[in-house]
Amino acid sequence: MARSDRLFQILTTLRDGHLHRAEDLARRHAVSVRTIYRDMDTLVASGVPVQGARGVGYRIGDTTTLPPLTLTPQELEALNLGIAIVSEVADPDLKSAALSLADKVDATQPERSVTETEMWKFATYPFADAVRGFSQMSTLRAAIRARQKLRLTYHSKGDRITTRTIRPLHMEYWGRVWTLTAWCEKQLDFRGFRVDLIQSAEALPEMFVDEPGKRLSDYNANL
């Protein structure tokens, strides 16, 4: 049995509210007691509210366990937008639950390396920034599909507000923050923009076509 399948079956067992000894779980799943201990550590680290201890037994409280889900970028965007909105409400219990859910969602995302020049320190930015970023998504998506130039007003490093014309090429999700890869006609180079730091995005009547050195494939070739 794959470990992920075993963990899910253990979760199902523990949800009955009864105390289950590691020895009994080990016998049921044909593994060692030490393996069950490691499984419990994994579940706790994943945010599952496991109650109990070694030598005593384990159970979990009143929670809802979802089976493994595969989300599209749009579905993940909708989930994070909901988290962002709820985290801004005054109710402290809902706010705490939103932050806890955000941590669990982040823990399921694949780790990515970010170049130092990007300075995208995602975990330090408040949810309000994420909400503002979502307001730009439809304009950015439409411009990428139509290959239409944009005029961006952007909050750059050092609290500077800059305006530039770009060729939008690609958007990517980085754990509750979306980034836009574009060719910047001001810098004459590729640039990455955090969508939540875009103050405004205006679609221009000018379209663009692929040119050597300015294409997404050229950007990817230099990564």
Side-chain angles (χ1 to χ4, degrees):
M1 179 186 298
R3 187 174 188 232
S4 59
D5 293 336
R6 184 176 70 249
L7 288 172
F8 183 71
Q9 288 190 14
I10 290 174
L11 271 176
T12 302
T13 300
L14 297 182
R15 288 188 63 204
D16 65 7
H18 299 299
L19 207 60
H20 294 271
R21 299 186 310 155
E23 291 81 357
D24 296 333
L25 292 171
R27 186 164 45 253
R28 177 180 300 180
H29 296 285
V31 295
S32 68
V33 172
R34 184 177 300 235
T35 295
I36 295 297
Y37 288 156
R38 287 198 295 265
D39 287 345
M40 292 302 169
D41 290 341
T42 297
L43 292 175
V44 170
S46 300
V48 178
V50 176
Q51 302 170 354
R54 298 183 181 186
V56 177
Y58 301 93
R59 65 183 175 188
I60 59 177
D62 185 15
T63 61
T64 299
T65 302
L66 298 176
L69 297 176
T70 300
L71 303 180
T72 66
Q74 291 76 21
E75 290 169 340
L76 194 56
E77 176 187 340
L79 174 61
N80 279 288
L81 178 58
I83 293 173
I85 293 172
V86 173
S87 72
E88 295 298 310
V89 301
D91 189 309
D93 291 335
L94 284 176
K95 186 178 183 71
S96 176
L99 294 172
S100 176
L101 177 58
D103 289 339
K104 292 179 181 179
V105 172
D106 287 347
T108 67
Q109 302 306 302
E111 294 184 3
R112 298 172 183 261
S113 60
V114 183
T115 59
E116 186 175 350
T117 55
E118 255 68 50
M119 296 299 287
W120 292 325
K121 300 175 182 177
F122 312 122
T124 66
Y125 290 94
F127 285 100
D129 290 341
V131 175
R132 183 175 64 247
F134 284 123
S135 68
Q136 309 291 347
M137 298 292 279
S138 60
T139 299
L140 301 180
R141 284 194 181 118
I144 291 173
R145 288 194 300 267
R147 308 183 69 74
Q148 189 171 16
K149 292 185 180 182
L150 293 173
R151 179 180 292 116
L152 292 189
T153 302
Y154 187 72
H155 194 156
S156 299
K157 290 185 294 183
D159 289 332
R160 294 184 300 110
I161 304 298
T162 64
T163 300
R164 59 190 77 194
T165 298
I166 65 165
R167 300 181 179 200
L169 300 174
H170 178 68
M171 283 198 300
E172 191 166 14
Y173 186 73
W174 298 73
R176 230 172 19 261
V177 172
W178 284 85
T179 61
L180 171 69
T181 300
W183 173 265
C184 179
E185 299 196 343
K186 180 179 180 180
Q187 300 294 331
L188 298 179
D189 200 358
F190 294 106
R191 286 291 185 267
F193 301 94
R194 275 192 31 208
V195 172
D196 59 309
L197 296 184
I198 295 175
Q199 303 293 312
S200 65
E202 177 189 356
L204 301 176
E206 185 178 357
M207 315 300 280
F208 65 90
V209 296
D210 281 340
E211 294 181 34
K214 300 180 181 180
R215 301 165 299 189
L216 182 62
S217 59
D218 298 316
Y219 170 80
N220 290 331
N222 293 323
L223 292 179

